[in-house]
Amino acid sequence: MAKLILSMDGLVLKEIVLDKKRLSIGRKPSNDIQIDNLAISGEHAAIVTVLNDAFLEDLNSTNGTLVNGQPIKKHILRNNDIVELGKYRLKFMAGEPEPHSDFEQTGGTRLAMAKLASEMELVPIDSPRRRSSSAARKPAAEKDVAPTDAAYTNSQPGVPPASIPNAAVQLLNGPNAGKELALTKTLTTLGKPGQQVAVIARRPNGYFLTHVEGKEFPLLNGQSLDAQAYHLGDHDIIEIAGIKMEFFLKV
């Protein structure tokens, strides 16, 4: 299981195991990780754990949050990342991956794609027929699901729900235009770390797109998303990190 090592001026203060879906960090006593220092906001940041990955989010703190010396708003934590909160340091140490992780193991990272345009796992198109996009429609948000608390409790890790049809995304531009990626996992990560990252979750009631990292939100049918999870429809057009792709159901 992943953990954090809290230290200040090289002195280790505490070890925190990431055993909750969401851990809050801040000066107030109500936080899971309380740091009683005026440089720390009352509710400074939060860490959300989804399966084997941990997502750090700055909660509009006054002095900001740094990871490895760089200011962040949202960040996917990697082994040995150093989170800086004023004079305090939180070292992230990834635990052993669970046997049925939903993330691809590629080049030592648990991201399904490190660089969407060149490094994602692709499968041949199963039909030469060009899939036509339906008219752009306004995305409808899944209002009752918090994006940072992604609810995957209805499916076992590594076992996608069987009640919905299979789906895939087909690249529409870039060097891999025309190729497709089958969405066979419960959670598929798309994008370029440090620039823009989103996830497509396969749930019993459909496929949902959620923004994870980056100042700019992904586009869905030409419209910018927000922090909510969006229910994907057949032939929706997604744009992440400058790469356009078409979501389609394989029926």
Side-chain angles (χ1 to χ4, degrees), residues 25-187:
I25 306 170
R27 193 176 67 253
K28 293 180 179 179
S30 57
N31 288 282
D32 297 298
I33 304 174
Q34 183 194 11
I35 302 177
D36 190 8
N37 186 280
L38 292 177
I40 310 299
S41 296
E43 295 177 352
H44 196 104
I47 295 176
V48 177
T49 301
V50 180
L51 301 177
N52 287 323
D53 272 16
F55 302 89
L56 171 68
E57 180 178 5
D58 180 84
L59 302 178
N60 296 316
S61 64
T62 301
N63 295 316
T65 301
L66 303 181
V67 176
N68 302 325
Q70 299 298 318
I72 63 95
K73 285 298 181 182
K74 292 186 179 181
H75 177 79
I76 300 177
L77 290 169
R78 299 173 182 82
N79 193 36
N80 294 323
D81 272 354
I82 302 296
V83 180
E84 301 176 48
L85 307 169
K87 294 183 179 181
Y88 290 81
R89 304 289 184 271
L90 285 165
K91 183 177 182 180
F92 176 75
M93 301 183 68
E96 291 294 324
E98 297 182 8
H100 299 292
S101 169
D102 285 294
F103 287 96
E104 299 290 342
Q105 300 290 335
T106 304
T109 177
R110 291 191 302 271
L111 287 176
M113 294 183 227
K115 292 182 181 178
L116 182 61
S118 60
E119 297 180 12
M120 74 177 180
E121 180 185 355
L122 298 169
V123 295
I125 298 176
D126 54 9
S127 171
R129 178 177 60 85
R130 171 71 177 173
R131 295 179 177 86
S132 60
S133 300
S134 59
R137 60 181 179 84
K138 184 176 181 180
E142 184 192 27
K143 299 294 184 182
D144 298 329
V145 179
T148 58
D149 206 15
Y152 305 111
T153 54
N154 290 329
S155 59
Q156 297 178 356
V159 183
S163 59
I164 60 173
N166 291 326
V169 291
Q170 179 181 351
L171 297 183
L172 302 179
N173 65 346
N176 289 316
K179 298 296 182 67
E180 69 179 52
L181 171 71
L183 302 175
T184 58
K185 302 292 183 179
T186 304
L187 200 66

Side-chain angles (χ1 to χ4, degrees), residues 201-220:
R202 175 173 174 162
R203 305 178 188 171
N205 56 336
Y207 293 83
F208 293 85
L209 176 69
T210 305
H211 173 73
V212 171
E213 180 182 356
K215 294 181 179 179
E216 301 295 328
F217 288 87
L219 300 180
L220 181 60

Side-chain angles (χ1 to χ4, degrees), residues 193-205:
Q195 180 176 339
Q196 193 176 57
V197 177
V199 293
I200 294 179
R202 175 173 174 162
R203 305 178 188 171
N205 56 336

